[in-house]
Amino acid sequence: MNLPEVIVAIMIAVLVASIVRTRIRHQGDRGVEPAPTAEMTQLRREVDQLKERLAVLERITVERENSLARQIDDLKSQ
């Protein structure tokens, strides 16, 4: 074998090794959800609470915008 053939063979071996290593590393990640820990449960509760608070704030904002628009319309009509 001459030098270019050796270099190509080494490159192919490295490529195949990296593909195999990547597949092995990601094989356990497919469709397996880790068991919920106490921290995950607490974070999910906090996210739910924040979603509720956001919904309340959105409702308040929309109500105030509508009431302000009504007040402006009332002043215009007077």
Side-chain angles (χ1 to χ4, degrees):
M1 270 197 214
N2 58 18
L3 185 63
E5 291 175 347
V6 172
I7 292 174
V8 170
I10 291 172
M11 289 176 63
I12 290 173
V14 169
L15 177 66
V16 169
S18 68
I19 290 172
V20 169
R21 183 179 38 165
T22 303
R23 284 189 171 216
I24 289 172
R25 192 178 296 161
H26 292 291
Q27 194 171 16
D29 294 343
R30 293 185 187 152
V32 177
E33 187 173 323
T37 62
E39 182 183 13
M40 289 173 61
T41 305
Q42 178 188 1
L43 290 173
R44 285 187 177 139
R45 263 190 258 123
E46 287 181 22
V47 167
D48 290 339
Q49 289 172 351
L50 289 172
K51 285 179 181 179
E52 290 175 18
R53 291 177 70 182
L54 180 62
V56 169
L57 289 173
E58 287 175 342
R59 189 174 64 240
I60 290 171
T61 304
V62 169
E63 288 174 1
R64 286 189 181 167
E65 287 177 2
N66 289 340
S67 66
L68 182 61
R70 274 188 261 123
Q71 289 175 2
I72 292 172
D73 288 341
D74 290 343
L75 289 174
K76 285 181 182 178
S77 65
Q78 290 180 356

